[in-house]
Each structure stands twice: as structure tokens, then as C-alpha cells.
Amino acid sequence: MTEQSRPAETATGRSAGTPVGAPTGTSAGTAGGTAGGTAGATSKPRTVPTELAALAMGVTQATIRKWASRGKLTRHGGPRRAEYDLDELFALARRGEIE
């Protein structure tokens, strides 16, 4: 891309034609996206650490780990940092499968 064909950027790093509320790196009004920048089921899960998952569900961290070991929740993250998908946690609560 040549310098002349690149859109001008403002001091915030946004293209001059991009609305202030639009996420950086995407164009406003693109088809297929949803409000908030999520792209549906194929998007990367919004994960939180065990402590925040327990807080969101109103249970202990041990309960979150127990649900993961029983297959009620999918554990994300690395070997030393467990994380859980917020949407999966909320779906579990909606189904009434919490203790």
C-alpha cells in the first residue's frame, strides 16, 4: 500500500473516517458483525480466571474447579492459569445446573 492510498490517521491512531465508538482496526458498518465487536460462536471465548468465575456465579473457586473436572465447564488457559468462558458460565446458570 502506498502512502497516498492509506487512510489518514488521527492523533488517536484511528482512520479519519472511523467513528469514535468503532473498534480500532475494523471499519464501522461491516457486514456480519454484531454490536460490541463479537462475531458469534466462532469468536474467541471471553474468559476470566477462576476467582472471577466464582465471583460471577456466587460460588467458591473449589466449586468452579469441581464443575470443570465433572465436565460442566470447559477449562481454558495454560497449566498454571485456569480460565473459564463467561458465556458458558452464564449458560450454566440459565440451565439451573449450579449447586
Side-chain angles (χ1 to χ4, degrees):
M1 190 181 289
T2 65
E3 285 294 315
Q4 290 179 340
S5 65
R6 285 186 26 207
E9 291 187 359
T10 63
T12 62
R14 294 185 186 280
S15 297
T18 305
V20 173
T24 306
T26 62
S27 60
T30 54
T34 59
T38 59
T42 60
S43 66
K44 184 178 176 183
R46 297 178 306 156
T47 59
V48 292
T50 309
E51 181 180 6
L52 292 180
L55 185 64
M57 298 299 288
V59 298
T60 65
Q61 293 181 44
T63 300
I64 296 293
R65 289 189 290 270
K66 182 171 42 175
W67 289 346
S69 70
R70 292 180 180 173
K72 287 186 174 186
L73 288 174
T74 305
R75 183 188 185 280
H76 300 273
R80 297 184 55 87
R81 181 164 172 90
E83 294 193 347
Y84 301 93
D85 183 354
L86 277 174
D87 293 329
E88 190 176 357
L89 287 164
F90 296 148
L92 185 68
R94 280 192 303 270
R95 289 191 308 258
E97 294 184 29
I98 58 175
E99 293 180 357

